[in-house]
Amino acid sequence: MHLSSDVALDLIEGRLAKDEETFWKEHLGVCGDCVQVIDQWGQLRADLRRSHLKSATAEILDTVMEFFPQGDEKEARHPCVEATVVFDTFRDGTVANARGAVAVARQLVLRAEDFDIHIKIWGVPDHRQMLGQLLPRGTAKFVGTARFHLLQNGERLETATIDEIGEFHFTDLPEGDLSLQIDLPNLTVVGALNVREAQ
Ligand SMILES: [Zn+2]
């Protein structure tokens, strides 16, 4: 008999009955596997309590994914939807006059299911950056865990995780046709971004 995740959390948080607690504490004295489970949950709780989640988010996600293997490894089984561009300053022409100016920010809004993805791309070629924010629409709930992959020709160039306000950031965007893949807990969203300047 080994610690389940539920019992491990109860033990860490002191919610177990006294005799149960004594039992598991004795068990931890002789079982390295269960000590590891306790350590991982303890670490996860410590990470979650930190006020600045930014630097810890990737690690937390990895830890969470270990406990919930559905999350990442089986992402291909999730329904996959394509995001549509509902707004693009390049396409919609509002910056037409500024073409050629240095570092004009392009703003895009992609939409898929109950989410809008607001994206800002700026910088000069070879030093382009992208800042995005995943925002729920209507009654959709804010998504706490999401991974963003920057893709070119189907290959992952970079992966970012969401921060506490739903933002993600990519630096050094290459030229060419890029797309964004977003792994949500139960859904994968793919949206095409043409990062080239408008002709
Ligand atoms: Zn054990």
Side-chain angles (χ1 to χ4, degrees):
M1 187 168 163
H2 293 292
L3 272 173
S4 66
S5 301
D6 283 356
V7 177
L9 272 177
D10 285 346
L11 181 61
I12 291 169
E13 287 167 0
R15 284 196 302 260
L16 286 183
K18 203 77 211 152
D19 54 342
E20 232 186 317
E21 186 179 310
T22 309
F23 171 83
W24 284 115
K25 283 192 170 159
E26 277 171 22
H27 179 81
L28 288 172
V30 295
C31 180
D33 287 349
C34 286
V35 168
Q36 256 189 344
V37 171
I38 286 285
D39 284 351
Q40 276 173 314
W41 278 112
Q43 186 57 49
L44 181 61
R45 286 184 80 245
D47 288 342
L48 289 172
R49 269 200 307 265
R50 271 181 218 150
S51 53
H52 287 289
L53 284 175
K54 257 179 205 171
S55 60
T57 305
E59 285 166 46
I60 289 175
L61 270 180
D62 285 340
T63 309
V64 170
M65 294 305 178
E66 278 176 33
F67 285 101
F68 303 100
Q70 295 275 50
D72 205 24
E73 302 305 319
K74 295 179 183 170
E75 64 192 0
R77 288 192 191 175
H78 291 169
C80 185
V81 296
E82 203 169 317
T84 49
V85 177
V86 294
F87 178 76
D88 183 346
T89 47
F90 278 8
R91 186 192 68 187
D92 300 327
T94 55
V95 292
N97 292 336
R99 197 185 304 149
V102 177
V104 176
R106 173 191 179 193
Q107 313 236 30
L108 282 143
V109 179
L110 301 181
R111 180 164 292 176
E113 303 272 305
D114 294 333
F115 300 98
D116 278 348
I117 304 125
H118 290 240
I119 294 170
K120 186 175 151 186
I121 297 168
W122 75 97
V124 293
D126 298 327
H127 297 281
R128 235 187 269 285
Q129 303 191 55
M130 176 164 110
L131 183 69
Q133 189 172 25
L134 181 69
L135 294 168
R137 286 192 298 132
T139 55
K141 284 209 192 100
F142 183 76
V143 175
T145 56
R147 283 190 192 207
F148 299 83
H149 307 287
L150 191 63
L151 307 179
Q152 189 167 37
N153 304 320
E155 257 183 76
R156 284 183 191 180
L157 301 175
E158 222 182 315
T159 293
T161 48
I162 206 166
D163 70 8
E164 59 269 33
I165 56 164
E167 284 193 351
F168 58 96
H169 187 198
F170 287 114
T171 53
D172 297 324
L173 259 62
E175 295 297 303
D177 290 331
L178 299 172
S179 52
L180 188 66
Q181 180 186 327
I182 305 158
D183 298 337
L184 298 168
N186 298 303
L187 184 71
T188 300
V189 176
V190 179
L193 309 164
N194 184 353
V195 176
R196 267 179 298 210
E197 302 276 344
Q199 295 302 302

